[in-house]
Amino acid sequence: MKPEHIAATLIGVSGLAPALVAGDLTFVESAADVGLTGGHATPAFEGMQAMSPGAAVGDFDRDGDQDVFVVGGSEGVDQLYINNGDGTFVDRADAWGVDAAGLRHNGAAVGDYDNDGDLDLYVTAVVVQGQGHIARNRLYRNNGDHTFTDVAQAAGVQRTPALLNDSFGAAFGDYDLDGDLDLFVAGWTGGNTLYRNNGDGTFTAQPDSVVAGDLFEIPRGFSPRFVDLTGDGRPDILLAADFFSSRVYVNNGDGTFTNETGAWDAGHDSNGMGSAVADFNNDGLFDWYVTSRIQLAGDDGSGNMLYVNQGGFFGEDSHAAGVNNGGWGWGADAVDFDHDGWVDLAATNGFPPPFEDDPTRIWLNTHDDACRFVDVTDAVGVSHTGQGRGLLTFDADLDGDRDLLIASNDEPLAFYRNDLAGPDAHAITLTFDTSGVPDLAPDGFGTRVELDALGMTQLRYLDGGCTYLSQSELSVHFGIGSAATADEIRVRWADGRATTLAGVPAGRYVITARSCPVDWTADGLLDLSDISGWITGFVARHPQADLTIDGLFDLADLQEFVVMFQGGCE
């Protein structure tokens, strides 16, 4: 599919001008080719399992590429696909100890909850309706030796008093900014639970007073995420929930939250299920997309909602934006698929008739500051019409673009490899190492990043949030189109400190949080290993080795290193 063909499709659909696509955007369904051969198995539309399954990605073996965990269903087996380094996968669930079989597992979330350097895995569960037993979630602690151990009971997150029947989406995030990951678990029948990490490998379920009683009074929770919506540096909670109960909880900074849904004019989605947060119009404010089902024969179905941030409140704009009608909406994610500098949308759909053939949709951003999109699903080669539930994005083959994974109810996985090509399809992906700064949560949770390129500023936030029972790659990704480099990147860490990078070429980088820029090993000491590390970074032209922040790697950087090293970074 050539760019001019996609442009012609855009004109035919909406009358928009051509040249909206930075590169030649094409997706190729490749699940079998890359070894993602499993999926979900359950009796058709059985109780709450009809709303499963999910999946999650993470670099579980810390080798630099992304691995995939998939919920298998009550007639299947959970899968753990380890990346071979080339975008192909092998299921190692048995060897790693996460091959639970015959269970009603539901969703998954990824985060290093115990700060030991390895990504852990939280798996939610639902019950069989009418049988009255208690669903038990799992917290798989990564042992660092290619095995996991379920420690949910000891950690206090196997189940909670308010959550006796089911758990759906879960999300990690450091809401109290103490450097460890807390956990939010959404429940559909018994309310939702906010866990505070005690810093010793255990969690404490927070009382309902944390959110003035509102948290547990809301049933039907689906997709939570911790996002600094207000821009004050504190992670707020956005919860997509069923039956007009989606909520905005603003972080008060004292361990409590206030329900500000009304003030933000949110919660209009009739059946909030999936969730995506992004700055869709590049105005420096985070917007919120919530999937929901469309209206049926005069009922109150809302369709998907696009809450555009107006600076302290939302304006709902899904109809004008062209993203309201997604059928029976489930998982969604926001990512710049075509690398034009504007964030696009993907959403998956499906349910019993008349929704059994609803397609997964790809909406491309039309570069409009009023947030407008156009459906290019067919044009870019996405042909999924199954029972989509979970959806996530990640760079499976490390080629710089985001690929698409769909987990469907009682169906195999669908994996669409992004084969974006062309000279104008550059991108920058950043992951974060915060291990050297104790007050920062692992892997950069809560990091806000601004990037200047193409004459505009893009905004991202690493929140690890739930897209619907699923979690995408723990990175921030920017398309920079025809620009070979970003003019400047500004990283604001969760503790308020900043790192500025200049003249950053397209590519993938690990950005390390350092109390001192020349403490290259981030161990609090200045010694030979820091000299060696900085020289290695300088030779490789790592952006953080540019100490003069001018986009050049020259004698001035060496001089700055010597001065800072001798001065002890005082």
Side-chain angles (χ1 to χ4, degrees):
M1 179 64 62
K2 299 298 183 183
E4 57 267 26
H5 296 162
I6 299 177
T9 299
L10 301 182
I11 295 172
V13 171
S14 62
L16 296 169
L20 290 178
V21 180
D24 186 350
L25 179 63
T26 304
F27 288 92
V28 178
E29 207 296 311
S30 308
D33 294 339
V34 303
L36 295 171
T37 55
H40 185 256
T42 182
F45 303 113
E46 181 204 60
M48 282 185 285
Q49 273 202 108
M51 297 185 281
S52 299
V57 296
D59 184 3
F60 296 115
D61 51 6
R62 292 296 197 191
D63 64 352
D65 52 39
Q66 299 297 308
D67 311 305
V68 184
F69 175 82
V70 177
V71 169
S74 62
E75 293 186 350
V77 180
D78 292 349
Q79 303 121 61
L80 178 64
Y81 294 99
I82 300 300
N83 198 319
N84 295 317
D86 59 0
T88 66
F89 299 84
V90 177
D91 185 5
R92 300 294 189 195
D94 183 10
W96 284 62
V98 294
D99 58 331
L103 297 179
R104 287 159 177 81
H105 284 167
N106 202 17
V110 173
D112 180 8
Y113 84 95
D114 54 359
N115 272 320
D116 66 351
D118 301 305
L119 286 176
D120 309 301
L121 178 65
Y122 188 71
V123 182
T124 64
V126 297
V127 300
V128 181
Q129 287 181 332
Q131 293 189 11
H133 74 269
I134 296 172
R136 288 177 171 82
N137 304 327
R138 297 191 177 211
L139 175 60
Y140 289 114
R141 185 186 65 215
N142 191 329
N143 300 317
D145 60 358
H146 296 184
T147 67
F148 285 97
T149 300
D150 180 16
V151 297
Q153 184 174 13
V157 293
Q158 188 181 65
R159 66 181 182 89
T160 68
L163 200 64
L164 299 179
N165 297 310
D166 64 79
S167 298
F168 274 77
F172 287 103
D174 184 11
Y175 78 85
D176 52 4
L177 299 178
D178 63 353
D180 51 36
L181 291 175
D182 310 301
L183 177 66
F184 189 107
V185 182
W188 192 64
T189 62
N192 311 282
T193 304
L194 176 65
Y195 293 100
R196 184 180 182 276
N197 193 324
N198 298 318
D200 59 0
T202 68
F203 294 81
T204 299
Q206 297 303 286
D208 57 2
S209 60
V210 167
V211 283
D214 187 63
L215 187 65
F216 297 129
E217 292 173 4
I218 298 174
R220 315 306 189 194
F222 275 138
S223 302
R225 50 198 323 147
F226 294 92
V227 178
D228 179 14
L229 181 65
T230 63
D232 62 3
R234 299 190 292 262
D236 309 300
I237 297 173
L238 298 181
L239 175 64
D242 217 344
F243 301 120
F244 294 100
S245 61
S246 292
R247 293 290 186 268
V248 175
Y249 297 112
V250 172
N251 193 328
N252 297 320
D254 59 0
T256 69
F257 294 81
T258 299
N259 181 356
E260 296 285 2
T261 309
W264 278 85
D265 198 16
H268 301 297
D269 41 283
S270 60
N271 306 95
M273 291 180 268
S275 177
V277 173
D279 180 6
F280 292 112
N281 54 1
N282 284 340
D283 66 350
L285 301 170
F286 288 115
D287 312 303
W288 187 24
Y289 185 66
V290 180
T291 60
S292 183
R293 68 173 179 83
I294 61 172
Q295 188 174 36
L296 290 174
D299 70 6
D300 58 1
S302 67
N304 303 333
M305 296 281 99
L306 177 60
Y307 299 110
V308 180
N309 194 332
Q310 307 293 328
F313 65 95
F314 289 122
E316 202 291 301
D317 204 27
S318 59
H319 287 279
V323 294
N324 175 264
N325 187 355
W328 195 295
W330 296 101
D333 201 11
V335 65
D336 184 358
F337 287 117
D338 57 359
H339 292 179
D340 62 359
W342 296 78
V343 177
D344 310 305
L345 275 168
T348 195
N349 310 283
F351 217 51
F355 301 99
E356 70 273 22
D357 295 321
D358 281 356
T360 293
R361 297 178 187 268
I362 305 295
W363 285 292
L364 286 189
N365 196 315
T366 67
H367 309 183
D368 190 331
D369 59 10
C371 288
R372 299 293 181 263
F373 297 81
V374 65
D375 187 342
V376 297
T377 306
D378 294 335
V380 300
V382 174
S383 57
H384 182 265
T385 56
Q387 287 292 320
R389 299 295 187 270
L391 178 148
L392 57 83
T393 62
F394 69 119
D395 186 357
D397 48 9
L398 298 181
D399 65 349
D401 52 42
R402 285 291 188 104
D403 309 301
L404 179 67
L405 182 75
I406 305 165
S408 299
N409 185 261
D410 195 30
E411 292 177 355
L413 289 169
F415 172 72
Y416 285 89
R417 187 185 66 236
N418 187 340
D419 283 350
L420 181 67
D424 295 336
H426 297 109
I428 292 175
T429 299
L430 305 179
T431 59
F432 302 98
D433 179 358
T434 53
S435 59
V437 181
D439 291 339
L440 293 179
D443 296 285
F445 275 79
T447 301
R448 174 189 172 103
V449 185
E450 294 179 339
L451 179 145
D452 296 338
L454 302 173
M456 60 186 176
T457 298
Q458 301 178 51
L459 175 66
R460 303 287 188 271
Y461 186 85
L462 197 149
D463 71 319
C466 180
T467 63
Y468 176 76
L469 302 181
S470 303
Q471 182 176 315
S472 294
E473 178 179 318
L474 286 171
S475 66
V476 296
H477 171 264
F478 299 89
I480 57 173
S482 60
T485 64
D487 300 324
E488 186 172 280
I489 299 175
R490 295 174 294 280
V491 178
R492 191 184 79 180
W493 304 99
D495 63 0
R497 285 181 291 185
T499 296
T500 301
L501 312 170
V504 181
R508 188 180 183 99
Y509 302 95
V510 178
I511 305 302
T512 302
R514 299 185 175 96
S515 299
C516 171
V518 294
D519 180 10
W520 204 257
T521 58
D523 61 358
L525 303 173
L526 294 182
D527 53 26
L528 185 60
S529 61
D530 297 302
I531 298 174
S532 174
W534 180 80
I535 291 174
T536 300
F538 181 86
V539 171
R541 293 179 173 262
H542 188 284
Q544 287 184 278
D546 175 18
L547 296 179
T548 56
I549 317 177
D550 59 1
L552 302 175
F553 293 83
D554 53 20
L555 183 60
D557 296 302
L558 176 58
Q559 292 172 331
E560 184 69 14
F561 179 86
V562 171
V563 170
M564 296 179 71
F565 190 89
Q566 290 179 335
C569 290
E570 295 296 332

